[in-house]
């Protein structure tokens, strides 16, 4: 597993873990800060107890887990896109045996979806744009549950 606490880069961050990407300490500060963040993990990204906090000016994000949940908290507006050979947000469930897992992206600003969002584990997809719009630009596929929330 990769445990992150405070990683910053001027251009991009790419993390590929054979197990999981988790927060090193439960806090509200950005664990990863860069204009481009790409995350890939076999088991999970973040956890139900502690989402991975991300930030960056004009933040562009791609994240993929094979069999576990994805839980991210963007401290800025975020664009879900394709980069670093990853596309959008996904739980791939490549071997078809994953238990239902949650794919969740919460943003304190707007969320713009420019790439596919897949949850092939039959779990929920949750997108929460707490401080702005949630713009869906592509189709969402393979979802058993979808929650889009905009709080005023």
């Amino acid at each position: 597993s990769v445990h992150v606490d405070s990683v910053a880069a001027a251009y991009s961050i790419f993390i590929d873990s054979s197990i999981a990407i988790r927060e090193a300490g439960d806090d509200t500060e950005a664990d990863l800060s860069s204009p481009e963040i790409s995350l890939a993990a076999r088991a999970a990204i973040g956890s139900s107890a502690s989402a991975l906090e991300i930030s960056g000016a004009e933040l562009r994000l791609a994240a993929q887990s094979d069999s576990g949940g994805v839980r991210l908290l963007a401290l800025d507006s975020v664009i879900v896109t394709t980069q670093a050979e990853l596309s959008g947000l996904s739980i791939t469930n490549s071997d078809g045996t994953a238990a239902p897992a949650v794919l969740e992206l919460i943003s304190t600003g707007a969320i713009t979806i420019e790439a596919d969002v897949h949850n092939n584990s039959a779990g929920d997809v949750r997108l929460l744009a707490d401080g702005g719009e949630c713009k869906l630009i592509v189709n969402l596929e393979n979802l058993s549950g979808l929650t889009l929330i905009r709080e005023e």
Side-chain angles (χ1 to χ4, degrees):
S1 289
V2 174
H3 295 267
V4 295
D5 183 37
S6 180
V7 177
Y11 180 69
S12 68
I13 294 172
F14 176 72
I15 300 174
D16 188 354
S17 173
S18 62
I19 301 175
I21 303 169
R22 306 246 189 238
E23 183 176 33
D26 189 16
D27 59 28
T28 59
E29 302 300 316
D31 302 306
L32 302 171
S33 183
S34 180
E36 293 185 4
I37 297 175
S38 304
L39 306 170
R42 170 85 175 106
I45 299 171
S47 70
S48 59
S50 183
L52 202 61
E53 292 96 0
I54 57 175
S55 71
E58 300 179 23
L59 176 59
R60 300 179 65 79
L61 170 70
Q64 174 183 307
S65 170
D66 183 49
S67 61
V70 174
R71 294 190 185 248
L72 298 166
L73 171 60
L75 304 177
D76 302 290
S77 293
V78 61
I79 300 167
V80 176
T81 190
T82 298
Q83 60 195 24
E85 299 181 18
L86 298 174
S87 184
L89 298 174
S90 65
I91 300 173
T92 59
N93 191 18
S94 62
D95 65 6
T97 62
V102 172
L103 191 157
E104 178 177 78
L105 172 61
I106 297 171
S107 174
T108 61
I111 298 174
T112 301
I113 306 292
E114 293 182 347
D116 291 344
V117 175
H118 296 272
N119 188 343
N120 295 330
S121 76
D124 291 341
V125 170
R126 299 179 188 149
L127 304 173
L128 170 60
D130 199 16
E133 298 177 324
C134 190
K135 301 175 188 176
L136 303 178
I137 298 175
V138 298
N139 293 327
L140 298 174
E141 300 177 10
N142 301 321
L143 303 177
S144 66
L146 171 64
T147 305
L148 296 175
I149 302 168
R150 181 164 190 268
E151 295 182 354
E152 303 276 336

